[in-house]
Amino acid sequence: MHKIFIKLLATLLLSLAAATPACAVDEDGYDLWLRYRPLERAAQARLQPQARTLVLAGKPSPTTQAALKELQRGLQGMLGSAPAVSATIQDGSLVLATPAMLPELATASSPLRAELTALGSEGYLLRKTRLQGHHVTLIAANSDIGLLYGAFAWLRAAVIGAQPEAASAPKLQLRLLNHWDNLDRTVERGYAGASIWDWWALPDITDRRYVDYARANASLGINGTVLNNVNSKPEVLTAAFIAKAAAVADVLRPYGIKVYLSARFSTPLELKETDTADPLSPAVQAWWRNKADEIYRAIPDFGGFLVKANSEGQPGPQDYHRTHADGANMLAAAVVPHKGIVMWRAFVYAHGDDKGTDRAKQAYDEFTPLDGKFAANVMVQVKNGAIDFQPREPFHPLFGGMPKTPLLMEFQITKEYLGFSTDLAYLGTMFEETLHSDTKRAPQGLTVAQVIEGKALPEAARQAGLTGMAGVANIGSDRNWTGHHFDQANWYAFGRLAWDPQASARAIAVEWAAQTFSADARVTAPVVDIMMMSRETVVDYMTPLGLHHMMGTGHHHGPAPWVDNLERPDWNPVYYHRAARDGIGFDRTASGTNALAQYAPEIARQYADPRTTPTQLLLWFHHLPWDYAMPSGRTLWAELLHRYDTGVRGARELQSRWMALRPMIDERRHDEVAQRLRRQVANAELWRNACIAYFQSINGLPLPPGVTPPPKPLDYYKAIQVPYAPGRG
Ligand code: GCU
């Protein structure tokens, strides 16, 4: 009896051990994807011989020190002990070297020479090779920062169990986070607590978190950060705040991350140091030059300014009847002696242009006449779509529409319109959709990714190499950084795509899931499945078939398709969906606003006809009758209902798939995600019910058989208020 009991117990324990990957200890998410948990024995046995000692082939710098420290931390975690740092190369050394440190890498006979040259100043090479007669693993690069990136890449491969043989260089020069963080530590559209920048404590007190922030970003290759909100305040450019920004810059510098600031165009005027902010005024120009000099004295590698001008009430050059180019070039002249840049945002829609035109057209109309008129150190920063970070938008027509101007992609990592940090939505697929879009621009059709890689630019501008991608950060003071554990994946995916805009969202999801939860395929595969279906699910329950901007006023959470009373027409959801007795959707063809004409002729032709418009963008471009026959065989009305139901089913599916993972994930993180998924199901149901109730009140049509009526009358949904929703800044 006793023996049988012991046998049973042993079998139970064994099966539990088999079902439970090594990550079952509770975690709070602080470590992000840099967890370095113990590897399985076989993986340890494979890794150990590759890193018996760590060798830095030259003099240490803060950056290479960070690389060595990270390798030690990672190996300590994965193997249980960290290798010693040694000065001599032996069999089994993990060697970090640049050609300057180890000239033999650069000799004519070195097989690595050509490969290294091709990797530029930030790329890296991971290679098992022979050095000075010894079998080693080599992390090689042309610079210290390349070595740090290489160290992170080597660790990533070790965690995932991938072959650590790779050569990689970033395709974009600027890989930036944009913090919409205010100086009082509130965060506009932030859903993960307060700002991580403790401006009050700075510059004397620097949070340890800044180092972990830098590590996480460097692990992805992010090399710049704009510390403050695009809706900027003049005070950020005063001496006190420059000193605070300089203290942050000092912490981030070893990790290759430059600091930038958002500048308010009227700063000198508001600080009462000039009597105008006119960009053509010599006094204003001198003020900015002196200000730039002052900043560079404190932060010698300051990146430059990000500017939101003449948009949503922000001041700008148009206040003085000057153009965006006049404004940008004035600032560009101030920073150019220091090699700084200006990132001038194209997200403009002016007060006054509310005569029933199309907000989607404004940026293109204002900026394309300025193509070729910007100084060489100006980039125009363009949101992925022409409205505003909706769950789905067609790519912005400015991509491919300004061939002489370097364009910086702006994605929103924080989920202002996709359920904050309560709903699960992996944005890698959304970013990928935009980046892979074919602009159909000459000569042979360029994807958006190729446009931002500078492939369409004239030779001189291409040589200057101003290329980049910016992501509006979702980082805050929450212990797990991003509020939702899965929102870490959006930071991660942004960084990886900024390194390589042509990378695959699925491959990135696999990497992230393996590092964040477990490399065990029984965990990685279902987590990736959840991620890959999540964004489409959100689109289905919020804004299917190309609908957009139907979120609650101001906070942008929850459905409000009925809103029609806001000051500007283009702030109202009814402006965007145009639902009426006769049909639904925004006619952007020639019979409507003709926004379509802003795209390449091939796209304009294809999308002019609803039958050749992708279904997912149908109501973005067309106003169609409710009984329009969809390719599915349903009427448009039935299709819309079907999509809402698909969205709700999808949300439940996300939940049930996650619940099935319970034995494989640590309890704390599992529960924190599970609670949010419960809320997401309720949010999906709310969207479905409120939108169906509203659209039915407009079209008066019955629900087809099998479609459940909304449980409450429309007035119930209209009365829902969400006071004190986060993210208002
Ligand atoms: C959106 C967002 C604002 C933000 C603006 C911008 O409209 O709701 O909070 O300031 O975008 O990108 O400038």
Side-chain angles (χ1 to χ4, degrees), residues 541 643-653 681 684-685 688:
Y541 66 70
R643 294 293 168 129
Y644 278 119
D645 279 331
T646 308
V648 172
R649 260 200 316 278
R652 292 193 188 124
E653 178 82 26
V681 170
E685 288 168 350
R688 175 219 183 257

Side-chain angles (χ1 to χ4, degrees), residues 180 188-189 230-231 308 312 345 347 383 388 416-417 556:
W180 285 2
E188 183 153 344
R189 311 311 176 185
V230 285
N231 297 319
K308 170 176 178 177
E312 297 188 324
R345 293 178 86 226
F347 176 69
K383 287 189 183 183
D388 194 8
E416 173 181 354
Y417 293 98
H556 296 159

Side-chain angles (χ1 to χ4, degrees), residues 180 188-189 191 229-231 308 311-312 314 345 347 349 359 383 387-389 410 412 416-417 472 549 554-556 571 727-728:
W180 285 2
E188 183 153 344
R189 311 311 176 185
Y191 314 104
N229 192 355
V230 285
N231 297 319
K308 170 176 178 177
S311 169
E312 297 188 324
Q314 295 296 314
R345 293 178 86 226
F347 176 69
Y349 63 100
R359 171 169 152 188
K383 287 189 183 183
I387 296 293
D388 194 8
F389 300 136
E410 179 177 313
Q412 195 181 45
E416 173 181 354
Y417 293 98
V472 180
H549 220 308
H555 52 76
H556 296 159
W571 282 348
R728 303 293 290 275

